[in-house]
Amino acid sequence: MRRRTLLTGLTAGVLAVGSTDAFATGRRVLHVRPGDSVQAAVDAAAGPGRTIVVHPGTYREVVNVPAEKAELTIRGASRDPRDTVIVYDNANGTKKPDGTTYGTAGSATFTSAAPGLTVRDLTLANDWLRADHPEITGTQAVAACTYGDRTHFENVRLLAHQDTLFVDTTALASFDRQYFHHCHIEGDVDFVFGRATAVFEDCHFHTLRRDVTFTPKGMVFAPSTARANPYGILAVRSRITSGAEDAAYRLARPWVPSYETTAWPSLVVRDSWIGPGIDPVAPYTDMREQYPWQTMRFREYRNSGPGAVITVPENRPQLSPDEAESHTKETYLGDWRPRRPYDHS
């Protein structure tokens, strides 16, 4: 089976099954090295505020952080996120041993429900490939699914194709907040999606080359914000690049799930550079005809770059300066101020 080139050149680590017995209970800092299991370290982390340091290597496993692991930090041992990779290859349509399928959320390489989670300085990837599995129609393959309040990703690479990053909430009435700073996120279809209040600051979104004949070849964002939530996805001071041809991608489409038809997707992209891979004439599209994007909360503000050129004003709704004051990191995150471990400049 072919593996994605995203892992080429990375330090390889041979993954052992591992167990909680490998980690001394009660330690505040647990170290994971090639041959150990990241999940075993998560299981062994007893009490809030623990730290798991994952040393350079490639760890092929699924990691699930339950809600009771509050205030947990998982970080790579070096500042280069390429050094430490957690990767697996389940898709929505992949069959489990019992014959059922994983579904979109269940396909995730990394899942967390823990409040106050911090992840930094590593790569989370799903290297499942459509070309390897033509028999599977459920091609969503998630790298990370996060739905705990105060989730903070710092200097993390998130790599997959369809549905790379699922920013979800614990319940429809929960406006869980997530903050991504200095992260690299790449994919092709709806690769940042979900209903969380999610802020992306100084992040890099990259659309992949895709060997299909139709356009758009994909979308960057697919928010599914709850109607009662005033804030959805915010991208600020970020950039969007592409490995595909010019205008092959759209910036976003609204996701109104069949199980949550009251959703009112919200997306603001502001003060960001949008490259030529995004169609400047028609940057938005519909997922379903009954939920046209024009009725959603899609706005832009002070963006630049060839993909941000306003040629058809009605296709690019803009915030007014007064409205922009309500769409900032501070308003979205409320009383939570994530602490950055270091300056990336």
Side-chain angles (χ1 to χ4, degrees), residues 11 14 25 47 56 64 68 86 97 112 122 129 141 161 181 196 216 222 243 265 279 281 303 331-332:
T11 303
V14 179
T25 59
N64 190 346
E68 61 266 25
I86 302 171
S112 175
L122 50 74
L129 286 172
H161 285 269
H181 179 245
D279 184 353
V281 177
N303 293 320
T331 56
Y332 277 52

Side-chain angles (χ1 to χ4, degrees), residues 4 6 124-128 141-143 158-165 186-188 191 208:
R4 289 189 61 208
L6 66 90
L124 301 174
N126 189 321
D127 61 357
W128 187 89
V142 178
L158 295 141
L159 312 178
H161 285 269
Q162 184 172 352
D163 290 12
T164 302
L165 174 61
E186 66 178 47
D188 51 34
F191 63 93
L208 298 171

Side-chain angles (χ1 to χ4, degrees), residues 175-221:
F175 303 157
D176 297 328
R177 298 159 296 177
Q178 302 182 17
Y179 176 61
F180 298 81
H181 179 245
H182 199 259
C183 292
H184 174 100
I185 307 154
E186 66 178 47
D188 51 34
V189 178
D190 302 336
F191 63 93
V192 177
F193 71 111
R195 71 183 177 208
T197 301
V199 176
F200 296 85
E201 184 177 27
D202 299 320
C203 287
H204 179 196
F205 305 92
H206 184 70
T207 64
L208 298 171
R209 178 171 294 279
R210 191 176 175 200
D211 188 19
V212 293
T213 57
F214 53 80
T215 55
K217 295 187 175 183
M219 290 65 55
V220 179
F221 301 101

Side-chain angles (χ1 to χ4, degrees), residues 217-261:
K217 295 187 175 183
M219 290 65 55
V220 179
F221 301 101
S224 59
T225 321
R227 183 168 293 271
N229 190 350
Y231 308 119
I233 294 175
L234 169 68
V236 58
R237 290 196 302 277
S238 295
R239 60 192 177 106
I240 300 173
T241 62
S242 182
E245 59 270 29
D246 291 357
Y249 276 82
R250 302 289 170 88
L251 190 60
R253 64 177 179 175
W255 177 34
V256 179
S258 57
Y259 57 83
E260 201 173 288
T261 57

